[in-house]
Amino acid sequence: MTDLEVLPITQYGNSILRLQSQSVPYSRIQSADLGELVQLMFYTMEQVDGVGLAAPQIGKSIQLAVIAFEGHHTRPDMMPIPKTILINPRIVDASDELVSDWEGCLSFSGATRRLVNRHKGITVEYMNDRGNLQTAEYHGFTARVFQHEIDHLMGMLYIDRISNEPS
Ligand code: NI
């Protein structure tokens, strides 16, 4: 078992954040190496109070992200999100309706949160860590988190989608 350590988070300005990440080959999905990386990503995310972390943010340009949110008593609009491992995700459907809400990003430490436009609802296809293809539909805050992390795997950042319209 790997000793758990907080991984350094790649900060804005590092060109890896602007790359299209490589797909994870099927043969690597159930490897011990990927399993350890996922474990370290969840640990790192918990330590820094994040709700999502994408592999480029820890210096790996691969299509892997982790998401989890326990919920918060002051934010009933932000539904808890179970621990999810996203491998090679694709947004296969998205609502026309966009919604604007506040977002931050672990790769912009110290930066202010900004109003960001996102699809209100999305359908995502991805592989889980057992190599099973999953299809899931998300709405609201959960859909926002998934869009933010999937963007990271495409080299897109939240500052690219800033809204000028107060919602
Ligand atoms: Ni981010």
Side-chain angles (χ1 to χ4, degrees):
M1 216 48 153
T2 319
D3 286 333
L4 292 175
E5 51 171 322
V6 177
L7 301 169
I9 296 180
T10 308
Q11 292 298 303
Y12 179 60
N14 186 319
S15 58
I16 198 172
L17 294 174
R18 288 308 196 175
L19 296 179
Q20 160 79 51
S21 301
Q22 300 295 307
S23 318
V24 179
Y26 189 78
S27 60
R28 198 184 164 196
I29 289 179
Q30 294 189 74
S31 67
D33 152 61
L34 199 81
E36 282 179 10
L37 185 61
V38 164
Q39 195 185 13
L40 288 173
M41 286 173 70
F42 272 120
Y43 183 73
T44 298
M45 186 175 78
E46 284 159 15
Q47 296 305 305
V48 297
D49 271 333
V51 298
L53 183 64
Q57 295 182 279
I58 48 121
K60 310 268 185 200
S61 190
I62 57 171
Q63 290 183 31
L64 166 69
V66 298
I67 291 173
F69 179 60
E70 288 184 348
H72 196 274
H73 65 282
T74 64
R75 292 298 304 268
D77 55 314
M78 287 160 53
M79 297 292 286
I81 307 173
K83 280 178 110 170
T84 306
I85 300 159
L86 283 178
I87 299 169
N88 303 339
R90 296 279 177 279
I91 294 175
V92 294
D93 197 15
S95 64
D96 291 335
E97 188 181 352
L98 298 176
V99 283
S100 187
D101 205 347
W102 297 98
E103 267 182 46
C105 178
L106 297 174
S107 292
F108 291 76
S109 62
T112 50
R113 295 163 71 77
R114 304 294 296 270
L115 277 176
V116 179
N117 282 326
R118 298 288 182 189
H119 297 287
K120 189 175 185 179
I122 53 169
T123 305
V124 180
E125 271 184 12
Y126 64 97
M127 300 288 272
N128 66 12
D129 60 333
R130 294 178 177 191
N132 297 321
L133 186 65
Q134 308 286 306
T135 304
E137 217 177 293
Y138 302 107
H139 297 278
F141 170 70
T142 307
R144 174 170 299 277
V145 173
F146 276 74
Q147 287 170 85
H148 181 116
E149 298 313 323
I150 293 170
D151 265 0
H152 271 302
L153 305 181
M154 308 296 162
M156 287 283 288
L157 297 168
Y158 80 129
I159 53 169
D160 303 330
R161 300 190 191 275
I162 285 174
S163 157
N164 295 314
E165 304 285 325
S167 65

